[in-house]
Amino acid sequence: MRTAVAPATLPYEWYVDPAVLRLEQERIFGRFWQYVGHVGRLSEPGAFTTARAGELPILIVRGRDDELRAFVNVCRHRGFLLCEGDGRRETIQCPYHAWTYDLDGSLRSAPRADSEPGFDRKGISLAQVAVDTWGPFVFVNPDVHADPLRDYLGSLPELLAAAGIDVETLRFHLRAESEPYACNWKVCAENFLECYHCAIAHPSLARAIDVSPSAYELETDGFVSTQVGPPRNGGDGVYDATGPIARGQFHFLFPSTAINVMPGQANLSIGPMIPTGAETTVRFLDYFVGADTDDAWLADFLYLDERVGAEDRVLVERVQRGIRGGGLEGSLLLPDSEQLIAHFQALVAEALSSDGP
Ligand code: FES
Ligand SMILES: [Fe+2]
């Protein structure tokens, strides 16, 4: 039975309907900056890596002129997905009919092209998308006319610097890729954006960080949403949360990039939530550490982080199973404890209603 009064939150249909995802692809993932990987994967000319901007496949390449460029990772001929994984190339050759592109995206050769007078390869090139970096972090934006990444990051660089994180000196540690989540990407985002559930669902995390409303701070600034939590004493098998990083910081850069800094030794994890369908999402997290971060500390910290991730998977997949049947219109949010979700939903609604530039 549907409720008589529509809640002032996003309709649950938006978490299920493929037509909404198509609109999100165009107006959200097609227009905003998204984290795709760390610059260490692209350190020399010819190095490439692949990623996704929402559902759009992306290829990022370091050119012979040392410039980073990003393209739609799709052959202009017949739509073949050009590259997979990462590596190093002199040229980008499509495995289907061997059209070969230069590292700047221009089509260099196509078999038989010269003997077919009706075909002109000049002017054909891979579709370019915007790419930019912040420290070791690489972001793309399918909208080549978007504002620079720096403007979009707002206060985020200062917030991290104030927390004691120097992004320039961070060292890449590992990428953790998880199995697909059986939920809409916005369910993952909203679960990230509140710690109302932490005391109940993450008992170990709640021993490392003070998640009580009096200690745990929430803040929004443009496209950045921030949660800050001081450390607790740890113990009981939880990693040591004391150290130069005095407080945990959990940032969310709209629409889909999560950035975590736990209290203790220097650490940062960053990664996107990527829709692979209206009701499936993939995630990865790139973990970075400081030069002095201790191996034993890191192992304890990663153990906790993995446990928290597994606990969150159960939550988000169960929300999707709850909402997909359509019995209710939308959620009911706590105005203070869940204010970051309200902010996120407002940004989603605004982006979807905008025809764009
Ligand atoms: S689809 Fe790429 S060469 Fe034909
Ligand atoms: Fe959680």
mmCIF file of all heavy atoms in Angstrom, residues 191-195 197-198 201-202 205 308-309 311-313 315-316, ligand 2:
data_model
loop_
_atom_site.group_PDB
_atom_site.id
_atom_site.type_symbol
_atom_site.label_atom_id
_atom_site.label_comp_id
_atom_site.label_asym_id
_atom_site.label_seq_id
_atom_site.Cartn_x
_atom_site.Cartn_y
_atom_site.Cartn_z
ATOM 1 N N ASN A 191 24.361 5.037 2.125
ATOM 2 C CA ASN A 191 24.883 4.298 3.271
ATOM 3 C C ASN A 191 26.215 4.895 3.729
ATOM 4 O O ASN A 191 26.499 4.991 4.925
ATOM 5 C CB ASN A 191 25.063 2.826 2.897
ATOM 6 C CG ASN A 191 25.635 2.010 4.029
ATOM 7 O OD1 ASN A 191 25.006 1.865 5.080
ATOM 8 N ND2 ASN A 191 26.834 1.493 3.840
ATOM 9 N N PHE A 192 27.015 5.346 2.754
ATOM 10 C CA PHE A 192 28.291 5.988 3.090
ATOM 11 C C PHE A 192 28.066 7.309 3.819
ATOM 12 O O PHE A 192 28.871 7.720 4.646
ATOM 13 C CB PHE A 192 29.097 6.221 1.808
ATOM 14 C CG PHE A 192 30.434 6.877 2.043
ATOM 15 C CD1 PHE A 192 31.547 6.111 2.373
ATOM 16 C CD2 PHE A 192 30.576 8.254 1.967
ATOM 17 C CE1 PHE A 192 32.766 6.717 2.624
ATOM 18 C CE2 PHE A 192 31.800 8.868 2.216
ATOM 19 C CZ PHE A 192 32.901 8.089 2.543
ATOM 20 N N LEU A 193 26.956 7.987 3.479
ATOM 21 C CA LEU A 193 26.752 9.362 3.924
ATOM 22 C C LEU A 193 26.137 9.501 5.318
ATOM 23 O O LEU A 193 25.813 10.608 5.729
ATOM 24 C CB LEU A 193 25.900 10.113 2.892
ATOM 25 C CG LEU A 193 26.653 10.493 1.607
ATOM 26 C CD1 LEU A 193 25.695 10.900 0.494
ATOM 27 C CD2 LEU A 193 27.645 11.612 1.879
ATOM 28 N N GLU A 194 25.924 8.416 5.998
ATOM 29 C CA GLU A 194 25.460 8.530 7.391
ATOM 30 C C GLU A 194 26.165 7.495 8.254
ATOM 31 O O GLU A 194 26.484 6.408 7.784
ATOM 32 C CB GLU A 194 23.931 8.389 7.484
ATOM 33 C CG GLU A 194 23.331 7.165 6.805
ATOM 34 C CD GLU A 194 23.220 5.949 7.705
ATOM 35 O OE1 GLU A 194 23.596 6.014 8.882
ATOM 36 O OE2 GLU A 194 22.764 4.904 7.197
ATOM 37 N N CYS A 195 26.376 7.886 9.506
ATOM 38 C CA CYS A 195 26.958 6.944 10.474
ATOM 39 C C CYS A 195 25.958 6.683 11.602
ATOM 40 O O CYS A 195 26.308 6.252 12.680
ATOM 41 C CB CYS A 195 28.286 7.484 11.010
ATOM 42 S SG CYS A 195 29.478 6.180 11.430
ATOM 43 N N HIS A 197 23.961 4.397 11.409
ATOM 44 C CA HIS A 197 23.928 2.941 11.528
ATOM 45 C C HIS A 197 25.189 2.366 12.181
ATOM 46 O O HIS A 197 25.243 1.167 12.454
ATOM 47 C CB HIS A 197 23.726 2.296 10.144
ATOM 48 C CG HIS A 197 24.913 2.371 9.223
ATOM 49 N ND1 HIS A 197 25.156 3.466 8.412
ATOM 50 C CD2 HIS A 197 25.932 1.507 8.979
ATOM 51 C CE1 HIS A 197 26.259 3.256 7.702
ATOM 52 N NE2 HIS A 197 26.759 2.082 8.037
ATOM 53 N N CYS A 198 26.217 3.206 12.384
ATOM 54 C CA CYS A 198 27.528 2.659 12.755
ATOM 55 C C CYS A 198 27.527 1.936 14.108
ATOM 56 O O CYS A 198 28.104 0.859 14.239
ATOM 57 C CB CYS A 198 28.584 3.763 12.755
ATOM 58 S SG CYS A 198 28.919 4.388 11.087
ATOM 59 N N ALA A 201 25.539 -1.390 13.437
ATOM 60 C CA ALA A 201 25.985 -2.318 12.389
ATOM 61 C C ALA A 201 27.491 -2.537 12.363
ATOM 62 O O ALA A 201 27.959 -3.510 11.791
ATOM 63 C CB ALA A 201 25.514 -1.802 11.026
ATOM 64 N N HIS A 202 28.254 -1.615 12.949
ATOM 65 C CA HIS A 202 29.717 -1.722 12.903
ATOM 66 C C HIS A 202 30.303 -1.631 14.313
ATOM 67 O O HIS A 202 30.955 -0.648 14.668
ATOM 68 C CB HIS A 202 30.311 -0.576 12.072
ATOM 69 C CG HIS A 202 29.819 -0.489 10.670
ATOM 70 N ND1 HIS A 202 29.825 -1.547 9.796
ATOM 71 C CD2 HIS A 202 29.323 0.563 9.964
ATOM 72 C CE1 HIS A 202 29.336 -1.148 8.613
ATOM 73 N NE2 HIS A 202 29.025 0.122 8.698
ATOM 74 N N LEU A 205 34.106 -0.862 14.320
ATOM 75 C CA LEU A 205 34.410 0.519 13.919
ATOM 76 C C LEU A 205 34.067 1.479 15.062
ATOM 77 O O LEU A 205 34.801 2.432 15.342
ATOM 78 C CB LEU A 205 33.613 0.886 12.665
ATOM 79 C CG LEU A 205 33.803 2.318 12.157
ATOM 80 C CD1 LEU A 205 35.196 2.502 11.571
ATOM 81 C CD2 LEU A 205 32.749 2.677 11.114
ATOM 82 N N VAL A 308 34.335 -3.944 8.059
ATOM 83 C CA VAL A 308 33.302 -2.904 7.953
ATOM 84 C C VAL A 308 32.666 -2.945 6.554
ATOM 85 O O VAL A 308 31.448 -2.843 6.397
ATOM 86 C CB VAL A 308 33.897 -1.504 8.253
ATOM 87 C CG1 VAL A 308 32.878 -0.409 7.974
ATOM 88 C CG2 VAL A 308 34.382 -1.437 9.694
ATOM 89 N N GLY A 309 33.506 -3.144 5.530
ATOM 90 C CA GLY A 309 33.001 -3.236 4.157
ATOM 91 C C GLY A 309 32.024 -4.390 3.992
ATOM 92 O O GLY A 309 30.981 -4.255 3.333
ATOM 93 N N GLU A 311 30.216 -5.719 6.359
ATOM 94 C CA GLU A 311 28.987 -5.381 7.102
ATOM 95 C C GLU A 311 28.108 -4.445 6.271
ATOM 96 O O GLU A 311 26.888 -4.599 6.207
ATOM 97 C CB GLU A 311 29.357 -4.726 8.442
ATOM 98 C CG GLU A 311 29.944 -5.711 9.445
ATOM 99 C CD GLU A 311 30.738 -5.053 10.582
ATOM 100 O OE1 GLU A 311 30.948 -3.818 10.566
ATOM 101 O OE2 GLU A 311 31.164 -5.801 11.484
ATOM 102 N N ASP A 312 28.742 -3.484 5.585
ATOM 103 C CA ASP A 312 27.974 -2.541 4.755
ATOM 104 C C ASP A 312 27.319 -3.239 3.563
ATOM 105 O O ASP A 312 26.220 -2.870 3.156
ATOM 106 C CB ASP A 312 28.879 -1.411 4.261
ATOM 107 C CG ASP A 312 29.036 -0.318 5.298
ATOM 108 O OD1 ASP A 312 28.058 -0.047 6.017
ATOM 109 O OD2 ASP A 312 30.127 0.262 5.396
ATOM 110 N N ARG A 313 28.012 -4.232 2.991
ATOM 111 C CA ARG A 313 27.423 -4.952 1.851
ATOM 112 C C ARG A 313 26.075 -5.567 2.234
ATOM 113 O O ARG A 313 25.095 -5.468 1.500
ATOM 114 C CB ARG A 313 28.373 -6.054 1.373
ATOM 115 C CG ARG A 313 27.722 -6.981 0.335
ATOM 116 C CD ARG A 313 28.635 -8.109 -0.069
ATOM 117 N NE ARG A 313 29.802 -7.602 -0.752
ATOM 118 C CZ ARG A 313 29.833 -7.288 -2.046
ATOM 119 N NH1 ARG A 313 28.749 -7.436 -2.782
ATOM 120 N NH2 ARG A 313 30.929 -6.841 -2.604
ATOM 121 N N LEU A 315 24.047 -4.582 4.479
ATOM 122 C CA LEU A 315 23.046 -3.522 4.674
ATOM 123 C C LEU A 315 22.492 -3.024 3.339
ATOM 124 O O LEU A 315 21.279 -2.950 3.140
ATOM 125 C CB LEU A 315 23.665 -2.338 5.432
ATOM 126 C CG LEU A 315 24.253 -2.625 6.811
ATOM 127 C CD1 LEU A 315 24.889 -1.362 7.379
ATOM 128 C CD2 LEU A 315 23.179 -3.148 7.758
ATOM 129 N N VAL A 316 23.382 -2.671 2.421
ATOM 130 C CA VAL A 316 22.907 -2.025 1.192
ATOM 131 C C VAL A 316 22.112 -3.006 0.318
ATOM 132 O O VAL A 316 21.109 -2.632 -0.302
ATOM 133 C CB VAL A 316 24.070 -1.379 0.388
ATOM 134 C CG1 VAL A 316 24.654 -0.212 1.162
ATOM 135 C CG2 VAL A 316 25.158 -2.372 -0.007
HETATM 136 FE FE FE B 2 28.547 1.443 7.234
#
